[in-house]
Amino acid sequence: MPSQSDKISTNTLPTGLGEGTGWSRDRLVLQTYSHDLWPRKLLELRERGPAEPTVDLVVWPETPSQVQALVRWADTADVDLIPYGAGSGVCGATIPSGSMPRPRVMVDLKRLKRVRSLDRESMTVWAEAGIIGENLERHLNQEGLTLGHFPSSIYCSSLGGYLATRSAGQLSTKYGKIEDMVLALETVLPNGELVITGRAPRSAMGPDWTQLLLGSEGTLGVFTAACLQVHPLPEHREFLGFGTADVNQAMAFTRTLMQQGIRPAVMRIYDKIETSLTIPSERLGTGFSGGCAIVTVFEGTQAMAAVEASEARRIADSMEVSYLGPTLGTHWWEHRYDVSYKQQLILSHDRLMLDTFEIAATWDRLSHVYEAVKGVNLGFGVMLAHFSHFYHTGANIYFTLASHSGLKASTVEHYDQVWESILGAAMEAGATLSHHHGVGVQKSAWLPKEKGAFIQIYEKVKRGFDPQNRFNPGKMGL
Ligand SMILES: Cc1cc2nc3c(=O)[nH]c(=O)nc-3n(C[C@H](O)[C@H](O)[C@H](O)COP(=O)(O)OP(=O)(O)OC[C@H]3O[C@@H](n4cnc5c(N)ncnc54)[C@H](O)[C@@H]3O)c2cc1C
């Protein structure tokens, strides 16, 4: 679609949003905001070169009232709005789509970055939605507290993005996903009204509006702040590595831990291929006789962490799971954000695609889902898998796939075929198609397949919130 920048009358923008600092339509800025970190978009860029920007204006509001004014302005200016956190999404959720031929305005929220208040009695914090995860965590650490939310992208992703995509951090098995941490959302609705969704840890006053808005990926409004639960910084950590003969034994062991009420902060099963390709034998130690490595980290008070760790060892012994000592865990901890940077190496090769696929299933289906996805033919490729978020009733699986497009004319086309196959296999085997990356453009067409009749209800909900379909249109299977 040709640029519609000129159709936007910027002199009518709300007070405080001036050129340069409050808004921009510089071509390079528009191009940068026209994609997030969805690997398909990066492949397109590699294969076809830079495309025309699909965004017409970027704005940087600084306060919730500026967001409200902006939302009201959007109606008079007849533009679409796409909330933008830090652009670290990997499914194209901020990429404009949909058939409405209106100019597209990207609302970058990073200037809403204040930590507003801390309540030590209730152990809650109010923070603005544009704050970068790492900055929020550092602020809390200075107060002796932690949020417990550590996505691998913590340095380049925002609170608003976590809320809008139902993000999961590396310590989610103890602290929960973001949806388990939120008490209330401050949100500007598409009519410009500012609402706060909750006021207590739980409520039986009708449906839960917080949970409806979480995961809405910018389609139902703009989050300006959230109230989140916080925890004391852990006094102590115990690092324990384990080894199992195969992935089924690893699943049985981790399921037993979870169902006995043990809550490691970190628990990660690496399947045989991921173990052999990513963990050197000296780190596994002499106790490892091949198969799958498991990393666990227990944290909290000294006594609690020690009890949980010793229970885990007792259960391991009873299940003939070998104990591998602390090195696996300490090494993982020290390098817990490293993996992200290796992807660039593969992506820099012309004919290679690389992506990750994170699903979840209940324990009764987990093994079947694992086998079904691993069974997909990638052509010249390799698929690694680890399990990194655990629940009483199931777990997630995080697949990393690298594949060569072979004789196909286009790597983008190859990428699409691979995705069709893995999504189909996971769906057929009974998984949910995303545990924490969200829907975006990537899985939009698959949402109706997973949600069935609920998608029609969601369409009505969307119309109720946003009758003009102005907020991130063309997403969520609509
Ligand atoms: C290297 C790497 C590692 C990653 N690791 C993890 C991980 O461990 N766990 C995980 O969950 N994800 C991970 N991700 C994915 C990504 O970081 C998350 O999806 C994150 O939540 C996106 O945050 P963001 O601020 O960058 O959002 P964006 O990409 O800017 O936006 C994502 C969606 O949220 C909406 N949105 C953003 N802000 C708001 C707001 N204030 N109000 C309403 N809607 C809003 C956007 O419209 C869009 O639909 C990773 C990504 C990368 C590149």
Side-chain angles (χ1 to χ4, degrees):
M1 177 176 297
S3 168
Q4 302 188 75
S5 273
D6 300 348
K7 289 192 189 160
I8 305 174
S9 153
T10 45
N11 54 12
T12 60
L13 273 164
T15 321
L17 292 175
E19 182 168 8
T21 52
W23 62 266
S24 174
R25 52 182 160 201
D26 178 90
R27 192 181 158 79
L28 196 58
V29 171
L30 298 183
Q31 218 143 24
T32 306
Y33 279 80
S34 293
H35 63 84
D36 58 2
L37 293 180
W38 184 20
R40 186 187 195 279
K41 213 65 190 166
L42 304 179
L43 291 188
E44 269 181 35
L45 190 68
R46 199 179 68 186
E47 197 162 291
R48 300 168 193 167
E52 285 300 304
T54 49
V55 171
D56 300 300
L57 187 75
V58 179
V59 290
W60 291 277
E62 224 168 316
T63 61
S65 53
Q66 270 185 5
V67 175
Q68 286 184 275
L70 196 59
V71 167
R72 294 193 175 113
W73 167 84
D75 252 341
T76 49
D78 199 23
V79 298
D80 289 340
L81 297 181
I82 303 179
Y84 187 95
S88 74
V90 286
C91 307
T94 56
I95 295 177
S97 66
S99 53
M100 298 297 279
R102 290 189 292 235
R104 281 99 177 231
V105 177
M106 212 49 119
V107 185
D108 186 335
L109 291 143
K110 279 197 280 302
R111 288 204 179 140
L112 274 85
K113 59 180 181 190
R114 286 183 319 130
V115 176
R116 289 186 188 161
S117 61
L118 201 55
D119 173 351
R120 285 184 171 276
E121 194 173 356
S122 315
M123 290 295 266
T124 58
V125 64
W126 266 103
E128 290 186 339
I131 192 167
I132 295 296
E134 174 68 11
N135 293 342
L136 174 55
E137 184 60 22
R138 281 190 193 171
H139 182 102
L140 291 170
N141 290 173
Q142 281 162 11
E143 303 287 337
L145 302 170
T146 177
L147 180 62
H149 190 65
F150 302 93
S152 310
S153 55
I154 192 165
Y155 290 97
C156 62
S157 50
S158 72
L159 173 58
Y162 303 153
L163 299 163
T165 60
R166 290 183 173 260
S167 157
Q170 296 170 340
L171 276 60
S172 77
T173 301
K174 181 176 177 73
Y175 297 104
K177 287 180 80 209
I178 198 78
E179 61 261 34
D180 305 309
M181 303 175 182
V182 191
L183 276 82
L185 290 169
E186 180 189 274
T187 305
V188 175
L189 298 176
N191 66 3
E193 197 180 335
L194 186 139
V195 295
I196 294 176
T197 56
R199 55 170 64 192
R202 290 287 187 278
S203 167
M205 289 299 285
D208 187 336
W209 299 103
T210 308
Q211 290 297 328
L212 175 69
L213 291 171
L214 291 169
S216 58
E217 298 188 10
T219 60
L220 299 180
V222 183
F223 306 142
T224 46
C227 180
L228 307 155
Q229 69 184 26
V230 295
H231 305 265
L233 273 173
E235 197 178 285
H236 180 68
R237 282 194 186 102
E238 298 261 348
F239 300 91
L240 279 71
F242 297 97
T244 57
D246 57 33
V247 79
N248 286 324
Q249 193 192 9
M251 282 188 235
F253 171 54
T254 52
R255 174 166 58 82
T256 306
L257 294 188
M258 293 307 292
Q259 293 178 346
Q260 296 278 328
I262 296 169
R263 290 291 174 271
V266 178
M267 186 149 72
R268 301 171 72 88
I269 301 172
Y270 297 89
D271 78 348
K272 274 187 187 174
I273 297 188
E274 189 153 341
T275 299
S276 63
L277 289 183
T278 65
I279 310 181
S281 52
E282 65 272 15
R283 208 180 305 143
L284 291 162
T286 47
F288 185 69
S289 47
C292 300
I294 302 173
V295 168
T296 60
V297 182
F298 296 88
E299 69 174 39
T301 60
Q302 177 103 26
M304 280 293 285
V307 165
E308 286 197 303
S310 99
E311 272 300 283
R313 282 196 65 175
R314 186 189 60 76
I315 292 169
D317 280 349
S318 73
M319 297 179 79
E320 293 181 9
V321 168
S322 30
Y323 174 61
L324 303 178
T327 317
L328 264 182
T330 49
H331 184 275
W332 179 85
W333 187 263
E334 282 155 19
H335 297 268
R336 62 196 184 280
Y337 300 125
D338 284 6
V339 68
S340 320
Y341 304 103
K342 289 185 189 149
Q343 303 194 353
Q344 291 307 323
L345 289 175
I346 296 182
L347 281 173
S348 62
H349 283 265
D350 249 12
R351 309 285 295 165
L352 284 175
M353 62 157 279
L354 172 81
D355 209 341
T356 58
F357 177 37
E358 33 67 58
I359 50 90
T362 45
W363 289 113
D364 63 324
R365 295 173 178 168
L366 203 61
S367 177
H368 179 47
V369 169
Y370 170 79
E371 296 297 343
V373 177
K374 291 283 282 194
V376 168
N377 182 0
L378 291 183
F380 305 106
V382 61
M383 195 184 310
L384 322 180
H386 62 254
F387 304 59
S388 43
H389 307 274
F390 291 84
Y391 305 90
H392 189 73
T393 51
N396 94 308
I397 314 178
Y398 189 98
F399 298 96
T400 302
L401 25 133
S403 167
H404 193 281
S405 53
L407 298 174
K408 287 192 193 117
S410 152
T411 311
V412 175
E413 190 190 305
H414 175 62
Y415 175 95
D416 290 342
Q417 285 167 3
V418 166
W419 267 96
E420 278 295 298
S421 306
I422 55 172
L423 286 163
M427 167 91 97
E428 180 79 26
T432 179
L433 299 184
S434 177
H435 172 261
H436 58 265
H437 284 166
V439 183
V441 177
Q442 183 183 49
K443 298 180 205 112
S444 189
W446 285 81
L447 197 65
K449 297 182 198 171
E450 182 173 325
K451 299 295 175 192
F454 284 109
I455 205 74
Q456 277 112 43
I457 297 168
Y458 189 75
E459 197 175 350
K460 294 192 178 101
V461 170
K462 165 78 172 161
R463 220 176 295 140
F465 270 78
D466 181 18
Q468 300 301 323
N469 193 21
R470 232 178 251 305
F471 275 69
N472 208 1
K475 301 282 171 40
M476 292 284 156
L478 303 179

